[in-house]
């Protein structure tokens, strides 16, 4: 009897596991995420569960506090980069620092050196860390010039900084096939590295084909987001529309059928490995695009209390995204919660 029971228990476990896999393969509904109470009974995990892993909103007190989980504090949790080992680097508005979040949830501070002339970084908006330890940063608006700055911090060297009048530096996108980052400047994109020709930052400049897409752009607009896929396509946004630039050098607007009404303020884009799914941050909402259809998977909630939860029950004001290697989790910074959070995708 014991043997028969064990065999049937194993059979039940096997088919139960198969059922879990089947649920994981289901595509999300189009439109807003359904109420979690409608989820099928017996499912192994609830998609779109939002949880806070570091930081929290505050009303007063220090803004540069290291610690575990919600005990840590950020001045402004901006751009993030997820490393292969699960470490997350965070651009923080605090002067001359980058924050580091370990896979165990411990937030620590990396103090950055001054440039040769003694200038220090005022506050970071985007961060990208290379394998050799080089930290690349784009700041928010400089308090003195109102234009962003580009910084390179190499281990053991003074910092290198560059800016220019009317600079519109935005985002830092990792090339999946090289240890290099790209950034946008107006309607162009460049590799984020020192240019020995003019002593600045930016090489291999690529400018979009104005004949095909510039009519879509309003005055004084620029690219606000960029990511690079494993298909070597660069995906960009000017805040309202989405574009792509192929390895063959062709640029075009994509998802025209969605219309301008679909997006109001795109700040970040990430794409999965097969290039079929694009995740975007749009006015605080996290949206997913599959086969030309948009799903809103989380966003601001009427509670305005930064609560965790499932889908529309959570209160989310997303800034920047990072997709896990297994593509099962999106990590994101939240500008209202002043925190690093995550949302499960399956």
């Amino acid at each position: 009897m014991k043997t028969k029971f064990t065999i049937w228990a194993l059979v039940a476990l096997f088919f139960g596991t198969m059922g879990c896999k089947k649920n994981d393969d289901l595509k999300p509904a189009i439109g807003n995420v359904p109420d979690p109470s409608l989820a099928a009974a017996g499912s192994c995990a609830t998609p779109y569960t939002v949880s806070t892993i570091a930081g929290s909103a505050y009303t007063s007190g220090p803004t540069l506090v290291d610690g575990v989980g919600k005990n840590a504090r950020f001045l402004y949790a901006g751009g993030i980069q997820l490393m292969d080992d699960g470490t997350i680097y965070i651009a923080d508005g605090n002067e001359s620092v980058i924050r580091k979040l370990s896979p165990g949830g411990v937030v620590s501070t990396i103090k950055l050196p001054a440039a040769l002339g003694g200038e220090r970084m005022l506050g970071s908006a985007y961060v990208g860390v290379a394998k050799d330890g080089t930290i690349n940063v784009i700041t928010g608006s400089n308090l003195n010039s109102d234009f962003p700055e580009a910084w390179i911090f190499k281990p053991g060297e003074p910092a290198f900084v560059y800016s220019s009048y009317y600079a519109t530096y935005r985002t830092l996108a990792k090339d999946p096939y090289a240890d290099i980052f790209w950034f946008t400047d107006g309607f162009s994109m460049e590799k984020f590295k020192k240019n020995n020709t003019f002593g600045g930052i930016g090489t291999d400049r690529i400018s979009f084909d104005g004949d095909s897409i510039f009519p879509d752009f309003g005055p004084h607009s620029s690219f606000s987001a960029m990511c690079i896929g494993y298909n070597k396509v660069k995906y960009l946004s000017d805040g309202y529309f989405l574009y792509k630039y192929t390895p063959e050098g062709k640029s075009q607007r994509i998802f025209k059928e969605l219309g301008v009404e679909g997006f109001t303020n795109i700040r970040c884009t990430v794409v999965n490995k097969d290039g079929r799914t694009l995740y975007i941050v749009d006015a605080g909402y996290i949206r997913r695009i599959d086969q030309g259809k948009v799903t809103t998977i989380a966003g601001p909630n009427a509670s305005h209390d930064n609560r965790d939860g499932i889908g529309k029950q959570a209160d989310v004001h997303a800034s920047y995204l990072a997709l896990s290697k297994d593509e099962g989790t999106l990590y994101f910074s939240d500008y209202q919660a002043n925190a690093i959070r995550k949302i499960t995708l399956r």
Side-chain angles (χ1 to χ4, degrees), residues 16 39 49 93-94 128 149 164 183-184 189 222 270 281 287 290 307 309 320 324 326:
T49 298
N94 276 293
E149 296 178 333
S164 63
F183 73 110
T184 63
M189 46 193 162
S222 63
V270 295
V281 168
R287 308 191 196 275
D290 277 303
R307 67 177 61 183
Y320 303 100
S324 64
D326 65 1

Coordinates of all heavy atoms in Angstrom, one line a residue, residues 16 39 49 93-94 128 149 164 183-184 189 222 270 281 287 290 307 309 320 324 326:
G16 N 0.6 18.0 -11.6 CA 0.4 19.4 -11.0 C 1.5 20.3 -11.5 O 1.2 21.5 -11.8
A39 N -8.6 35.2 -10.7 CA -7.5 34.2 -11.1 C -8.0 32.8 -10.9 O -8.8 32.5 -10.0 CB -6.2 34.5 -10.4
T49 N 2.5 40.6 -9.5 CA 2.5 40.9 -8.0 C 3.7 41.9 -7.8 O 4.8 41.7 -8.1 CB 2.8 39.6 -7.2 OG1 1.7 38.7 -7.4 CG2 2.9 40.0 -5.7
G93 N 19.8 61.0 -6.6 CA 20.1 62.4 -6.7 C 21.1 63.0 -5.7 O 21.5 64.1 -5.8
N94 N 21.5 62.2 -4.7 CA 22.5 62.6 -3.8 C 23.8 62.9 -4.5 O 24.2 62.2 -5.4 CB 22.7 61.6 -2.7 CG 21.7 61.7 -1.6 OD1 21.7 62.6 -0.8 ND2 20.8 60.7 -1.5
G128 N 25.2 53.3 -15.7 CA 25.6 52.1 -16.3 C 27.0 51.7 -15.9 O 27.9 52.4 -15.9
E149 N 25.0 66.5 -17.5 CA 26.4 66.3 -17.7 C 26.7 64.8 -17.9 O 25.9 64.0 -17.4 CB 27.3 66.8 -16.5 CG 27.2 68.3 -16.3 CD 28.0 68.7 -15.1 OE1 28.1 67.9 -14.2 OE2 28.5 69.8 -15.1
S164 N 27.8 70.4 -22.6 CA 27.8 71.5 -23.5 C 26.5 72.2 -23.4 O 25.5 71.7 -22.9 CB 28.0 70.9 -25.0 OG 26.9 70.1 -25.3
F183 N 23.9 56.3 -25.4 CA 23.0 57.3 -24.8 C 22.5 58.1 -26.0 O 22.9 58.0 -27.1 CB 23.8 58.2 -23.8 CG 24.8 59.1 -24.5 CD1 24.6 60.5 -24.5 CD2 26.0 58.7 -25.0 CE1 25.5 61.4 -25.0 CE2 26.9 59.5 -25.6 CZ 26.7 60.9 -25.6
T184 N 21.4 58.9 -25.7 CA 20.8 59.7 -26.7 C 21.1 61.2 -26.4 O 21.3 61.6 -25.3 CB 19.3 59.5 -26.7 OG1 18.7 60.0 -25.5 CG2 18.9 58.1 -27.0
M189 N 22.0 59.1 -31.3 CA 22.5 58.2 -30.3 C 24.0 58.0 -30.5 O 24.4 57.9 -31.6 CB 21.7 56.9 -30.3 CG 21.5 56.3 -31.6 SD 20.2 55.0 -31.6 CE 19.8 54.9 -33.3
S222 N 12.9 65.5 -28.0 CA 14.1 64.7 -28.1 C 13.7 63.3 -27.7 O 12.7 63.0 -27.1 CB 15.2 65.2 -27.3 OG 14.9 65.2 -25.9
V270 N 12.2 48.5 -22.3 CA 13.1 47.3 -22.3 C 12.4 46.3 -23.2 O 11.2 46.3 -23.3 CB 13.3 46.8 -20.9 CG1 14.0 47.7 -20.0 CG2 11.9 46.4 -20.2
V281 N 7.6 52.3 -19.6 CA 7.1 53.2 -18.5 C 6.5 54.4 -19.2 O 7.1 55.1 -19.9 CB 8.2 53.6 -17.5 CG1 7.7 54.7 -16.6 CG2 8.7 52.4 -16.7
R287 N 3.5 49.3 -18.9 CA 2.7 48.8 -20.0 C 3.5 47.7 -20.8 O 4.8 47.8 -20.9 CB 2.2 49.9 -20.9 CG 1.5 51.0 -20.2 CD 0.8 51.9 -21.2 NE 0.4 53.2 -20.6 CZ -0.7 53.4 -19.9 NH1 -1.5 52.4 -19.7 NH2 -1.0 54.6 -19.5
D290 N 2.6 43.4 -26.9 CA 2.7 42.1 -27.5 C 1.9 42.2 -28.8 O 0.7 42.5 -28.8 CB 2.2 41.0 -26.7 CG 3.2 40.5 -25.6 OD1 4.3 40.1 -26.1 OD2 2.9 40.6 -24.4
R307 N 1.3 51.3 -2.0 CA 1.0 50.0 -1.5 C 1.5 48.9 -2.5 O 1.5 49.1 -3.7 CB -0.5 49.7 -1.2 CG -1.4 49.8 -2.4 CD -2.8 49.5 -2.1 NE -3.3 50.5 -1.2 CZ -4.6 50.4 -0.6 NH1 -5.4 49.5 -1.0 NH2 -5.0 51.4 0.2
G309 N 0.9 45.0 -4.0 CA -0.3 44.3 -4.3 C -0.2 43.7 -5.7 O 0.9 43.5 -6.3
Y320 N 12.1 53.8 -14.1 CA 12.9 53.0 -15.0 C 12.9 51.6 -14.7 O 12.7 51.1 -13.5 CB 14.4 53.6 -14.9 CG 14.5 55.0 -15.1 CD1 14.5 55.9 -14.1 CD2 14.4 55.5 -16.4 CE1 14.6 57.3 -14.3 CE2 14.4 56.9 -16.7 CZ 14.5 57.8 -15.6 OH 14.5 59.1 -15.9
S324 N 14.7 40.9 -15.7 CA 15.6 39.8 -15.2 C 16.0 38.8 -16.3 O 15.4 38.8 -17.4 CB 14.9 39.0 -14.1 OG 13.7 38.3 -14.6
D326 N 15.8 35.6 -16.6 CA 14.8 34.6 -16.9 C 13.5 35.3 -17.5 O 12.6 34.5 -17.8 CB 14.5 33.7 -15.7 CG 13.9 34.5 -14.6 OD1 13.6 35.7 -14.7 OD2 13.6 33.8 -13.5

